[in-house]
Amino acid sequence: MSPARLDQPRTLDDMVLYVLWNLQTSAGRAVVRLCETEFGISRRQWRLLALLAEHPDMQPSALALRSGLDRARTSRALSELVQKKLVQRIPRPGNRREVTLRLTEQGSALQARLRPRVADINGRLLSVLSPAERAQLADMLARLQAQAQAQVVGGPPEPTDAA
C-alpha cells in the first residue's frame, strides 16, 4: 500500500482501520484455535484472564473498559470463567454488591501455560520485520493510539472547507 493511498483512500482496502482490523482478524485465528481447542476458552475469555493476571483485583467495570468490551459481554465472559473456576468474584468489604476479580490458582496456571504460546504467535507474526522495523512499528502504533484517543476525547474532527 502506498502512502498516497493511505492519505487519500479510494477503497476500503486503503483505509488504515480496515487494514489493521484485517490483520488482527487474520492473525487472531491462530489464537482462537489455540484458546478454544487446547484450553477450552474463547479469545475474549483469554483477554480477560491476561488482564487479570497483570492487574489483579479489578472491578468488572474497570475490566470491561480495559479490555475494550462492553459490560454485557464482559459479564457473560466473566460468568463463564467463574463457572470454569478460573476467576473468582470477591465481595468488597463494606459493600457486598461490589466485587473485585481475581484469578484462581487454576486460572493462574492456565494463564501461565497459555501466555507464552500466544507470545510465540505474536513473535512469528513480527518475524518478518527487522529489530529496527519493530521499533519503528511500536513507535508508530503508540502515536496512532494517542491520536485515536485524542479523537475520542475531543470528539469527531471538525469538517474542513476544501474551497
Side-chain angles (χ1 to χ4, degrees):
M1 176 182 308
S2 72
R5 301 276 307 253
L6 279 176
D7 288 340
Q8 296 188 358
R10 289 183 234 137
T11 69
L12 186 60
D13 289 327
D14 297 338
M15 296 187 188
V16 72
L17 291 175
Y18 182 72
V19 171
L20 292 173
W21 174 83
N22 214 358
L23 171 65
Q24 183 271 329
T25 300
S26 299
R29 287 188 185 114
V31 176
V32 169
R33 271 195 312 274
L34 176 66
C35 288
E36 290 178 353
T37 61
E38 293 188 40
F39 293 89
I41 61 172
S42 68
R43 180 173 54 169
R44 180 178 295 140
Q45 290 170 343
W46 177 72
R47 185 185 329 169
L48 298 179
L49 289 176
L51 285 168
L52 286 172
E54 295 171 16
H55 308 281
D57 300 325
M58 289 183 83
Q59 291 185 311
S61 58
L63 183 61
L65 185 63
R66 177 87 176 160
S67 68
L69 299 172
D70 63 45
R71 287 184 184 198
R73 285 184 178 165
T74 302
S75 179
R76 280 193 298 276
L78 283 171
S79 292
E80 293 166 358
L81 291 170
V82 168
Q83 285 178 333
K84 293 176 182 182
K85 299 187 183 340
L86 300 173
V87 170
Q88 58 184 336
R89 289 183 170 115
I90 303 163
R92 291 177 65 116
N95 187 349
R96 299 191 60 77
R97 291 184 309 165
E98 287 186 22
V99 297
T100 56
L101 304 165
R102 188 176 300 157
L103 295 182
T104 62
E105 281 188 38
Q106 187 178 343
S108 293
L110 185 145
Q111 170 63 10
R113 290 190 332 269
L114 181 53
R115 188 175 192 1
R117 303 275 305 275
V118 175
D120 182 59
I121 292 168
N122 188 73
R124 283 185 279 149
L125 179 63
L126 291 172
S127 70
V128 297
L129 302 176
S130 70
E133 288 170 324
R134 290 181 205 166
Q136 281 182 309
L137 178 62
D139 177 63
M140 288 185 278
L141 290 172
R143 287 186 284 147
L144 286 171
Q145 180 63 42
Q147 178 66 11
Q149 201 60 34
Q151 285 182 266
V152 169
V153 171
E158 293 294 319
T160 58
D161 261 339

